[in-house]
Amino acid sequence: MFCWNEDMLRFMTDASEHTDYYRALTELLSPYLPKNGHICDAGCGMGYLSEQLAAAVKQVTAVDISESAIAQLQLRLSVSPRENLLPICADITKLTPKAPYDAMVFCLFGSIQSILEIGRNQCRGKLLIVKKNYSMHRFSLGQNPLHCYRFCDAVEILDRLGLPYEAIETDLELGQPLRSLEDAVLFFRTYSKDAHPEAITEEAILPRLWKTDDPDFPYYLPQNKKMGILIIDAAAIPAQLPWEEQ
């Protein structure tokens, strides 16, 4: 389970509110979503994607197991209410909706195995699955490979199962605005997979930053985030998957 701390919440707030990432991602997902349907944003995190989805469909239920992440979404909704967006703090694997969702979105959720199980049990429409489509960790000084939850891994499993799917490969900008060089060091040390985070210094990361004219965010870490989107019909998922037979 991904665990948020105060710095992570702050960094994600800054990135989400100063880039166009979630609106652009919603534009890619929208053609596959029923406009009059009830959508679940599974593992919604702080809910920035949920808010964009709520502008595109009739009803959104946003579910995440993190109390601190859901609290951030609830705080924003207290200022700018959306009647068609319901945040729920819960383990999505243990929920049973009153009626199956018309579609479910899984954005960087976890394993394709758990997604297929959840989608089969909770959805009567399409599963829209967003996965990382790169092989190296983005916020490390060294070369640290990703080992799981990648687009290529999900595609391999779907092919092995013989499940039909549509795949879209794209990239969207989700850079990180930074309030100071000190904040930039904290950001890298928070997310780095380097064995020696003490090696992350202002001098080491400065070549990766852009200087800006924004007094609130004088530095920006550009990140062109490559992603793969998989679209699956929940009805095509077998009643028993191979790993459930054991």
Side-chain angles (χ1 to χ4, degrees):
M1 182 184 72
F2 183 81
C3 296
W4 297 85
N5 62 36
E6 289 186 8
D7 290 322
M8 290 176 174
L9 293 169
R10 177 170 61 87
F11 286 134
M12 181 55 74
T13 296
D14 290 343
S16 300
E17 295 182 359
H18 290 82
T19 68
D20 204 30
Y21 172 78
Y22 289 108
R23 184 201 60 77
L25 179 56
T26 299
E27 284 190 359
L28 292 172
L29 300 178
S30 290
Y32 303 94
L33 296 173
K35 301 300 182 285
N36 292 318
H38 184 185
I39 310 306
C40 178
D41 184 6
C44 66
M46 296 173 68
Y48 284 100
L49 178 59
S50 307
E51 289 177 295
Q52 293 294 327
L53 292 170
V57 301
K58 182 178 181 179
Q59 179 70 38
V60 174
T61 295
V63 181
D64 200 276
I65 200 170
S66 169
E67 293 182 6
S68 56
I70 287 293
Q72 292 294 313
L73 173 55
Q74 291 171 327
L75 179 61
R76 297 198 307 277
L77 291 176
S78 69
V79 176
S80 301
R82 284 188 177 274
E83 297 296 328
N84 67 331
L85 174 53
L86 174 64
I88 296 177
C89 183
D91 181 349
I92 186 72
T93 66
K94 298 177 180 178
L95 290 183
T96 302
K98 291 181 179 180
Y101 297 113
D102 297 303
M104 296 184 76
V105 175
F106 297 85
C107 185
L108 309 181
F109 177 84
S111 74
I112 188 67
Q113 292 93 331
S114 61
I115 290 172
L116 293 176
E117 292 175 20
I118 295 166
R120 177 196 58 197
N121 297 333
Q122 300 188 26
C123 184
R124 59 187 166 202
K126 294 186 182 299
L127 311 183
L128 281 64
I129 305 164
V130 182
K131 289 290 185 185
K132 298 174 182 177
N133 198 14
Y134 45 89
S135 59
M136 291 293 175
H137 191 264
R138 299 181 302 148
F139 303 129
S140 298
L141 297 183
Q143 294 293 303
N144 293 295
L146 299 174
H147 296 293
C148 60
Y149 304 154
R150 300 171 300 176
F151 176 67
C152 60
D153 300 323
V155 166
E156 180 181 348
I157 290 171
L158 293 176
D159 286 341
R160 194 184 311 147
L161 293 172
L163 273 177
Y165 61 88
E166 182 176 347
I168 302 169
E169 297 184 54
T170 187
D171 54 88
L172 297 173
E173 177 66 18
L174 182 59
Q176 183 64 50
L178 295 159
R179 298 175 185 272
S180 65
L181 272 178
E182 182 181 48
D183 228 22
V185 171
L186 176 61
F187 177 85
F188 273 89
R189 288 184 177 177
T190 298
Y191 290 104
S192 168
K193 298 300 181 183
D194 293 311
H196 300 286
E198 68 276 6
I200 300 173
T201 63
E202 293 181 3
E203 293 75 14
I205 64 173
L206 193 56
R208 294 183 60 174
L209 305 179
W210 290 354
K211 289 187 177 180
T212 77
D213 296 325
D214 186 340
D216 295 323
F217 299 97
Y219 295 94
Y220 181 76
L221 174 64
Q223 288 295 325
N224 193 7
K225 190 169 185 175
K226 294 185 178 181
M227 299 174 299
I229 302 172
L230 295 162
I231 301 97
I232 301 171
D233 282 320
I237 302 171
Q240 188 172 47
L241 292 158
W243 51 87
E244 296 175 313
E245 297 173 2
Q246 302 176 359

